[in-house]
Amino acid sequence: MSAQRPRSNPKPIPFIVTGAIIGFIVFGLISYFGPNRNEGFDITYDPSATLGYMSVLGLCVGALLGAVVAALFTYRK
């Protein structure tokens, strides 16, 4: 007979923090190296403002995806 070890639940906070950091980096790089889409419009944005907005958006999206991954790992049938 083999004794089954109880499954340990992963802690969700490291998943959320890791997802937020990865999202921050990815969205920051997209805003820094992405194309300039202001052609034809009379709108000018400061590049640092764009970097800030995209980085905050990346934090939120990354944290949400990290939470979903953590929830999937803790799901039991």
Side-chain angles (χ1 to χ4, degrees), residues 29-44:
L29 289 174
I30 288 172
S31 71
Y32 189 73
F33 293 114
N36 186 3
R37 295 289 183 189
N38 290 335
E39 300 102 15
F41 301 104
D42 228 5
I43 302 170
T44 57

Side-chain angles (χ1 to χ4, degrees), residues 37-71:
R37 295 289 183 189
N38 290 335
E39 300 102 15
F41 301 104
D42 228 5
I43 302 170
T44 57
Y45 292 106
D46 185 25
S48 62
T50 305
L51 178 64
Y53 288 127
M54 288 294 285
S55 297
V56 170
L57 180 65
L59 281 171
C60 295
V61 170
L64 180 66
L65 289 176
V68 168
V69 169

